Amino acid sequence: MPSGGMGSSLCSRMMAQHGSPLHSALSRHLSVSSLARNSLAYKKASIAWSPRLPALIGRTNFLAASAVSSTARRNSQYAIPLLTFHRHASSASEAAATKENPQRRTVDAPIVGYWSLFCASMVFGIVVWGGLTRLTESGLSIVEWAPITGAKLPTSDAQWESEFEKYKQFPEYQKVHIGITLDDFKRIYFMEWFHRNIGRLFGVVYLIPMTYFISKGLITRAGKAKLTGLGLLLLGQGAMGWYMVSSGLEKELAERPDAVPRVSQYRLASHLSLAYLLYAGLSLYGWNVVRANRLVRNKIANPDSLRTMLAKPSIVSFRRKIVAATLLVGTTCLSGALVAGLDAGLIYNEFPTMGHGITPPLSELWNPFYARGDPSAMWRNLTENPSTVQLEHRALAMTTLLVVSALWLHGRKLPLPRSARFALHLMNSLAWLQVVLGISTLVEFVPIANASAHQANSVLLLASALRLFHSLRPLPRIPL
């Protein structure tokens, strides 16, 4: 393609054949360009002749300017500024480049991260309220699963009487809440109704914004897959909730003299574990999005230095230990669900002993009764024997405390980022607080306030471990 002086000469000869004002305008601009072609400012404004020139400035304007005689337009000031050429050429080239190499979002929008963290906080609230529902023995007060119609609280006396009569047909009323009044039933009914409704609200808060963000292109392709997976986990959590409740409504519990009307400890542990997984997934996802946006917007000081620090072998090794500690915290929480499901906190209300020693007799811990006549099923003592389950929870809790304390002592000597150091101190403090709350709950025969605080703090302890792990993850390199 001709350029520079040749381009100016060729363009001038073609314009001169028509005697158009376009000739004078182009000559003026191109002359300046040829005189100052070594100047960066004028180089940006220069233009070379191209067969595509009419298309770039508009074919109608080009032909009109070329066809009009100089006599008819002698007094006219009509001219096409050279910047017009530059603007149209840039727009056309950008459009062609975008078409050939379409840009994909590399980071979720900041609002997505904050929304994810808000959803995690809702899960925390649901877990705490669910614990209160269990502690007040309210979880079996609603004996039907009605995802839509069940959202409405009974209002008339007839509706309340109808719900109360349904409840009387099930084992919990016949064995546990014998002879309770309608007012007492309303209190436990409200506890379970509210628990289910905040679960419904969470579903709305999650699914509607997620759909909106995806439709507006605010989420990356990887983000869509992760949020879809968390959405499926949410649906599974709701289904597991009813599956858990249904285990406490079985008629067999009323027929067996030794049976206690309560939900299966296996299903309770599954329900709680799904809640913890959902909380962990939403928290990590939200932190990832917020961190990535801070990195893109240059709000992280010295990112290269931080990458170097997090890549040190001592930090990598410490991060792996934090992963192991986080898994230990989660396992201890799930063993607590078994304790709650079996009401194992109502026995051996002393610490550190259990009866006359640190542990109960072996014959009590490994009782053939729980094998149900099958010698190969003695393992059921580990999950169904209240004494054994409480001993397991004690052992896991003290092991968790020792591990977290050791990591705290080790982490203080490492060059950790400020956020990681704060999370380390917080995790250690919450671990000690968790043990204190657990012991007080046990020796005071499980008061509701202590037990609820114990469960809430378990979620916070898990959150602090996750936060420490996240703050030690390698800083990503995000393509811009």
Side-chain angles (χ1 to χ4, degrees):
M1 180 186 301
S3 59
M6 293 181 63
S8 302
S9 176
L10 177 60
C11 187
S12 300
R13 287 199 302 271
M14 295 187 68
M15 295 296 101
Q17 295 176 3
H18 300 280
S20 168
L22 182 62
H23 168 248
S24 59
L26 283 177
S27 298
R28 182 171 59 254
H29 286 290
L30 292 176
S31 297
V32 173
S33 176
S34 61
L35 290 174
R37 62 170 56 95
N38 292 326
S39 171
L40 179 62
Y42 282 101
K43 278 186 175 181
K44 291 183 179 179
S46 65
I47 183 169
W49 173 259
S50 169
R52 297 185 60 214
L53 187 60
L56 294 178
I57 67 171
R59 187 170 298 275
T60 302
N61 290 337
F62 182 84
L63 293 177
S66 302
V68 177
S69 66
S70 58
T71 303
R73 288 285 186 175
R74 183 175 295 110
N75 297 323
S76 174
Q77 298 300 318
Y78 176 79
I80 302 177
L82 190 59
L83 291 178
T84 303
F85 291 81
H86 178 71
R87 182 169 59 250
H88 283 278
S90 300
S91 301
S93 60
E94 290 174 1
T98 303
K99 186 175 182 180
E100 294 174 3
N101 300 303
Q103 295 294 321
R104 291 180 180 175
R105 176 177 284 274
T106 57
V107 178
D108 292 341
I111 190 175
V112 177
Y114 297 124
W115 160 78
S116 182
L117 293 176
F118 175 75
C119 288
S121 68
M122 286 193 68
V123 174
F124 171 76
I126 293 173
V127 169
V128 173
W129 190 267
L132 287 172
T133 302
R134 176 186 53 79
L135 289 167
T136 55
E137 296 182 335
S138 306
L140 300 176
S141 57
I142 301 179
V143 297
E144 295 176 335
W145 176 242
I148 305 300
T149 59
K152 182 181 178 182
L153 188 69
T155 53
S156 65
D157 291 341
Q159 290 175 341
W160 278 114
E161 287 291 347
S162 175
E163 294 297 320
F164 194 25
E165 289 301 321
K166 293 176 185 176
Y167 177 66
K168 290 179 180 179
Q169 308 304 313
F170 288 88
E172 186 177 64
Y173 174 81
Q174 300 165 7
K175 285 190 170 184
V176 179
H177 292 162
I178 303 173
I180 64 170
T181 65
L182 179 60
D183 289 337
D184 294 332
F185 173 72
K186 287 180 179 180
R187 281 192 286 270
I188 63 174
Y189 187 97
F190 176 80
M191 294 292 295
E192 174 65 9
W193 173 84
F194 190 75
H195 181 55
R196 295 190 185 189
N197 266 16
I198 54 179
R200 291 184 178 98
L201 177 62
F202 175 69
V204 173
V205 169
Y206 185 84
L207 294 175
I208 292 181
M210 183 186 73
T211 303
Y212 174 80
F213 294 147
I214 292 177
S215 67
K216 294 297 183 180
L218 301 179
I219 302 177
T220 62
R221 179 179 298 179
K224 294 176 186 177
K226 293 176 183 178
L227 291 177
T228 301
L230 290 172
L232 294 175
L233 186 61
L234 167 61
L235 296 177
Q237 169 73 348
M240 178 57 71
W242 171 246
Y243 183 60
M244 176 191 68
V245 170
S246 64
S247 66
L249 301 176
E250 297 175 355
K251 299 294 185 181
E252 180 186 359
L253 296 174
E255 298 169 357
R256 287 171 46 198
D258 62 326
V260 179
R262 60 189 176 207
V263 300
S264 164
Q265 73 273 22
Y266 299 112
R267 301 185 191 183
L268 175 61
S270 299
H271 187 53
L272 187 61
S273 64
L274 289 178
Y276 281 147
L277 285 175
L278 188 58
Y279 177 82
L282 289 169
S283 297
L284 289 173
Y285 186 83
W287 290 330
N288 282 337
V289 174
V290 173
R291 188 190 201 191
N293 278 279
R294 292 185 67 235
L295 181 60
V296 169
R297 300 183 180 191
N298 297 320
K299 292 186 177 180
I300 295 181
N302 301 319
D304 291 333
S305 300
L306 182 58
R307 286 191 182 94
T308 302
M309 177 190 298
L310 296 178
K312 290 182 178 180
S314 58
I315 302 299
V316 173
S317 175
F318 186 69
R319 183 173 69 244
R320 291 171 181 166
K321 294 173 183 177
I322 294 300
V323 172
T326 303
L327 294 175
L328 181 59
V329 170
T331 303
T332 306
C333 292
L334 295 184
S335 75
L338 294 178
V339 172
L342 293 171
D343 288 329
L346 297 176
I347 60 174
Y348 292 115
N349 300 100
E350 53 196 346
F351 189 87
T353 60
M354 296 181 71
H356 297 291
I358 298 298
T359 67
L362 182 60
S363 59
E364 181 180 343
L365 295 174
W366 208 246
N367 194 332
F369 171 79
Y370 296 98
R372 303 172 192 170
D374 183 3
S376 64
M378 289 291 287
W379 60 266
R380 288 197 177 100
N381 280 277
L382 298 174
T383 55
E384 298 181 10
N385 185 336
S387 300
T388 308
V389 169
Q390 188 190 122
L391 178 62
E392 292 167 358
H393 188 58
R394 289 188 182 209
L396 283 169
M398 298 311 299
T399 302
T400 300
L401 179 63
L402 291 175
V403 169
V404 170
S405 298
L407 287 174
W408 177 72
L409 291 173
H410 177 49
R412 292 178 62 193
K413 303 175 183 178
L414 296 176
L416 300 178
R418 184 171 58 180
S419 59
R421 191 168 297 279
F422 173 79
L424 178 66
H425 294 323
L426 180 62
M427 182 178 69
N428 184 64
S429 301
L430 291 175
W432 281 93
L433 177 60
Q434 182 70 354
V435 170
V436 171
L437 289 172
I439 294 174
S440 66
T441 300
L442 179 68
V443 300
E444 296 180 20
F445 293 89
V446 194
I448 292 178
N450 295 38
S452 179
H454 186 53
Q455 180 168 356
N457 194 70
S458 71
V459 184
L460 296 178
L461 176 58
L462 179 63
S464 65
L466 290 170
R467 182 59 178 168
L468 177 56
F469 162 73
H470 179 267
S471 62
L472 295 176
R473 293 183 66 186
L475 198 64
R477 295 187 181 276
I478 302 172
L480 300 179

